[in-house]
Amino acid sequence: MATMRQVAQRAGVSAKTVSRVVNNDRYVSDDVRQRVERAIADLQYVPNLLARTFRYGRDAAIGIAVPDISDPFFAAAIRAVEEIARDRGVALFVTSVGTDGTFEQIGVEALLGRQIVGLISTPVAADQSYLMRWLSRTAMVFIDRAPSNITADTVVEDDRGGGYAATAHLIEHGHRRIGFIGDSSSIATTAGRLEGYGAALADAGIDEDRRLVTFGALSSHEAAEATWDLLSRRKPPTALFSSNARCSIGVVPALQGRGRTDIALVGYGDFPLASALRPALTVIGQNPDALGKAAATRLFQRLDNPSRRSKRLTVLPVRLLVRASCASAQDHQHVTMAGHLAT
């Protein structure tokens, strides 16, 4: 069986250059690539996975753990990680750990037990200190939210900034009573969006009414119930901020089912058909592809240069995608008056 060194001698290059061609490194000239590929064909060389990952002493594989692989946001992030891993000739193991933290340690340590060289994980439990014993031999990057009781690379989005932008947009349309619908205040992403919501109200001189903030919407059905509850109050909101796409998928039909298209709505996170709704839903646009790529890039940087010093936290921007779901407060007043006249 031919070796990488023999291929290098035949092509007149170094073994490292052969490795770069095998791993499809783009920083190889066409001439060199053709010589190496010709030598590989002549010698019928087959890359040895174990030799290629000898530096790790383990199989060339990484793992990713997310709350739910069927969630469009995390599915897109996984695809981005897989793309970079594939370019590096590295396999990817994927697992879901749920949203309440109960199965996080079991699921993550099951991945680590496969002797992976690197882990990308979204923390859902309150404490990630159980990973301390794995840090010395496994590179780790956390995505979407920072871990607790452990220091590691983290790639997140600007949740506070997104919450601020969504709320400020509704305020610009004249709304002062803005409801907030979220899953749990213990989830870092939700807490950040709530912080941005409160900051936007404060900057506009609007007192935050905690009676307009509701949690517990862990499903689209619960988000619909939260919507009905807010709108049935004596002093209901004229606008709503849905703090994630799952909530929005419940809020939209809840409003339309009761003919409440006068209620302005901004959702956090885009989702399929959001732009096709009538009215089209204004959202805070996330970029799960960029999140996944940034996390995978950082993970391989750590694997390639374990001693390299670099900042631990990367915050990616989000942006407001303005569509048609933000009726003005005046529109709300007109609809309300018409409803009173009709009765």
Side-chain angles (χ1 to χ4, degrees):
M1 181 179 294
T3 66
M4 183 178 290
R5 187 176 298 277
Q6 290 173 322
V7 172
Q9 291 174 342
R10 172 71 69 96
V13 299
S14 67
K16 187 171 184 178
T17 298
V18 175
S19 176
R20 285 176 173 167
V21 172
V22 169
N23 288 310
N24 199 30
D25 191 318
R26 64 180 182 275
Y27 297 112
V28 178
S29 69
D30 291 340
D31 175 63
V32 170
R33 187 181 299 278
Q34 290 173 6
R35 281 165 33 210
V36 172
E37 289 176 345
R38 189 160 51 246
I40 288 173
D42 291 345
L43 296 173
Q44 297 184 336
Y45 170 70
V46 177
N48 186 323
L49 185 61
L50 291 177
R52 197 162 72 198
T53 59
F54 179 76
R55 61 186 292 187
Y56 303 133
R58 286 170 279 167
D59 288 347
I62 62 173
I64 183 167
V66 299
D68 184 358
I69 60 175
S70 68
D71 183 306
F73 177 83
F74 289 112
I78 291 169
R79 284 194 298 271
V81 171
E82 184 178 31
E83 182 180 324
I84 291 180
R86 187 186 303 119
D87 288 344
R88 297 283 300 245
V90 173
L92 177 67
F93 294 115
V94 182
T95 190
S96 292
V97 295
T99 58
D100 64 0
T102 304
F103 301 106
E104 178 188 318
Q105 183 171 352
I106 296 172
V108 170
E109 290 195 326
L111 277 182
L112 293 167
R114 289 178 173 270
Q115 300 297 302
I116 56 177
V117 298
L119 171 71
I120 296 174
S121 181
T122 299
V124 292
D127 182 12
Q128 280 71 49
S129 61
Y130 67 90
L131 290 169
M132 288 292 294
R133 64 193 182 96
W134 299 91
L135 266 179
S136 62
R137 67 189 309 267
T138 307
M140 295 185 190
V141 178
F142 292 90
I143 60 171
D144 194 47
R145 60 201 75 160
S148 297
N149 301 318
I150 189 173
T151 300
D153 292 314
T154 303
V155 182
V156 299
E157 293 184 317
D158 185 8
D159 292 299
R160 185 186 186 282
Y164 188 102
T167 308
H169 184 68
L170 291 167
I171 292 171
E172 289 170 2
H173 279 72
H175 297 280
R176 298 183 66 82
R177 294 189 59 76
I178 301 171
F180 179 99
I181 298 177
D183 41 19
S184 172
S185 59
S186 65
I187 297 176
T189 49
T190 303
R193 294 162 196 176
L194 178 64
E195 183 181 342
Y197 160 87
L201 291 175
D203 286 351
I206 302 172
D207 292 333
E208 183 178 341
D209 186 348
R210 298 299 292 189
R211 292 170 296 183
L212 296 180
V213 176
T214 181
F215 293 108
L218 299 175
S219 67
S220 57
H221 175 71
E222 289 169 327
E225 291 183 335
T227 302
W228 296 326
D229 178 63
L230 283 172
L231 296 182
S232 65
R233 297 183 182 180
R234 189 174 63 85
K235 294 182 67 177
T238 64
L240 297 174
F241 172 31
S242 170
S243 67
N244 60 61
R246 185 177 58 253
C247 285
S248 299
I249 291 172
V251 173
V252 169
L255 292 175
Q256 293 185 341
R258 300 198 176 186
R260 296 305 304 272
T261 55
D262 58 301
I263 299 296
L265 174 63
V266 176
Y268 201 106
D270 212 355
F271 57 90
L273 299 180
S275 61
L277 295 169
R278 290 295 177 266
L281 182 62
T282 293
V283 299
I284 297 297
Q286 298 175 277
N287 193 337
D289 183 72
L291 185 77
K293 286 180 177 177
T297 299
R298 174 52 59 86
L299 187 71
F300 285 112
Q301 286 174 346
R302 290 296 184 194
L303 288 169
D304 293 337
N305 300 287
S307 60
R308 178 182 175 182
R309 298 189 61 154
S310 57
K311 64 178 183 179
R312 289 290 191 180
L313 179 63
T314 300
V315 181
L316 303 179
V318 295
R319 61 195 183 103
L320 179 69
L321 302 178
V322 179
R323 293 172 181 152
S325 62
C326 294
S328 69
Q330 288 76 20
D331 293 336
H332 172 83
Q333 290 172 356
H334 293 329
V335 171
T336 302
M337 289 178 64
H340 288 325
L341 291 172
T343 58

